[in-house]
Each structure stands twice: as C-alpha cells, then as structure tokens.
Amino acid sequence: MMKTSHEKIEFLEKMADGITSWIGSIPSLIIHTLLFIISFLLPVFDIVSVDKMLLVLTTVLSLEAIYLSILIQMSVNKSHEKIEDIQEDIEEISEDIEDIQEDIEEISEDLEEISEDIEDIQEDIEEINEEEDEEDHNERAKKTILKSDVNMSKNEIRFLKDRIAELQQKIDELKKE
C-alpha cells in the first residue's frame, strides 16, 4: 500500500523532530567530540593527509550546519504555531470569563431585588400581625404559609449566593491558569 503525501510529510516531520532532539543531547555531544578527535588523529598516524582531512571535515561540517539550520527553523516554525494556538485559547478563555462575570453580576442584582422583596413581605406580615389581634384559623394558616414561603425564598437566596461564590472561585482559578 502506498503512503499518501500527507503521511510522507508526517513521517519526515517526525524524523526531523527525532534528529533535532538527538542533536541537542549529551550522546550527540560525545559522538561529535569523538569524531573530531578521530579526525585530527588520522593525520597524526599518517592514515590521511592533513589537507584531505581538513577538506572532508570542512565539507561534512558545512553540510551538517545547513541541515541543522533547516531543522532549527522547522522547530521555530512549529513553536510559533503552538504559541498562536495558545494565544487563541487564552482569548477564548478570557471571553468565557467575561461572560461568567456578567452572569454573576446579573444574578447578584437579581438576588438583591429578591432580598428587598422578601424584606417588604416580612414588613407587610409584621404590619398585619400588629393590626389584627384576633384572627380566625384561616388567617393564621395563610400567615404560616407566607412565612414558610419567605423562609424557602431565604434558603434559595443562600443557595444562589453559595453558587455565586463557587463560580467566582472558578473564575479566579481560570485567571490563575
């Protein structure tokens, strides 16, 4: 089965990444050092002339430098692409945080309005209690139900306040990241 050009490119990119990683390693440093030592020892033991050794060494080093510069540029290009992706992600997260903050502000405003309404209802209940000393059983039941509703509303407000605190904590965590 023949590889597509995309698969071939991926293979070459992986190979280039592997070479780049190896070139920047301690084993590469050791091997290069040994090769240079051997190269300079060849003329000492009359295996090759100094001129030939320098010519071959210069040619090999020139070719290696060309390939290294290409590999380094490929790494720089990849890093640049990754940085752009990260910047886009950060922009999206910032927009999400702003949306969450707006939602929290709206919820806070709603909570304030609900709290004011509950206070008004409590005042009305107190006024009703003061005005009427004797009430029949039905009126007392209505008051009890009203108080129960007020207490349930207070509990819901507490729950919403806790939820806002959790959301604010999440926003702070997202900002830290």
Side-chain angles (χ1 to χ4, degrees):
M1 180 162 78
M2 295 191 66
K3 290 185 176 181
T4 64
S5 62
H6 181 70
E7 289 172 332
K8 289 177 185 176
I9 290 173
E10 281 183 7
F11 173 75
L12 291 174
E13 285 178 349
K14 286 180 183 178
M15 200 164 125
D17 288 343
I19 292 169
T20 305
S21 293
W22 185 81
I23 291 293
S25 69
I26 297 294
S28 172
L29 177 66
I30 292 169
I31 289 174
H32 277 83
T33 303
L34 289 174
L35 289 175
F36 291 136
I37 291 170
I38 291 170
S39 296
F40 287 107
L41 286 177
L42 289 175
V44 171
F45 293 113
D46 274 340
I47 298 172
V48 173
S49 69
V50 173
D51 292 340
K52 254 188 185 174
M53 183 275 302
L54 290 175
L55 180 64
V56 171
L57 187 61
T58 305
T59 304
V60 169
L61 290 177
S62 296
L63 288 172
E64 184 178 26
I66 290 168
Y67 278 101
L68 284 176
S69 66
I70 291 169
L71 292 171
I72 289 169
Q73 186 60 48
M74 288 173 65
S75 293
V76 168
N77 292 345
K78 276 188 179 182
S79 296
H80 183 71
E81 288 174 10
K82 288 179 182 177
I83 289 171
E84 286 179 347
D85 290 344
I86 290 171
Q87 285 175 336
E88 288 174 9
D89 290 345
I90 288 172
E91 289 172 4
E92 289 176 13
I93 289 171
S94 294
E95 290 172 4
D96 290 344
I97 289 173
E98 288 175 12
D99 291 343
I100 291 172
Q101 284 178 326
E102 289 175 8
D103 291 345
I104 287 176
E105 288 173 8
E106 290 175 10
I107 291 172
S108 293
E109 291 172 6
D110 291 344
L111 280 176
E112 288 176 22
E113 291 175 9
I114 290 171
S115 292
E116 290 173 5
D117 290 344
I118 288 175
E119 288 175 9
D120 290 344
I121 290 171
Q122 283 179 326
E123 288 174 6
D124 291 344
I125 290 172
E126 290 172 5
E127 285 177 11
I128 290 171
N129 284 337
E130 290 173 1
E131 288 176 3
E132 299 176 2
D133 288 339
E134 290 185 20
E135 299 175 344
D136 62 355
H137 183 66
N138 291 336
E139 288 296 318
R140 287 183 188 158
K142 288 180 186 177
K143 288 179 186 178
T144 303
I145 290 171
L146 265 175
K147 287 180 181 178
S148 174
D149 288 345
V150 167
N151 285 332
M152 284 188 347
S153 296
K154 284 182 178 179
N155 288 335
E156 287 179 64
I157 288 173
R158 282 188 202 111
F159 172 77
L160 289 172
K161 285 182 178 179
D162 290 343
R163 184 70 179 130
I164 288 174
E166 289 174 19
L167 289 172
Q168 189 63 45
Q169 199 172 23
K170 287 181 181 177
I171 287 173
D172 293 340
E173 290 172 7
L174 286 172
K175 285 181 180 178
K176 288 178 184 176
E177 292 176 6

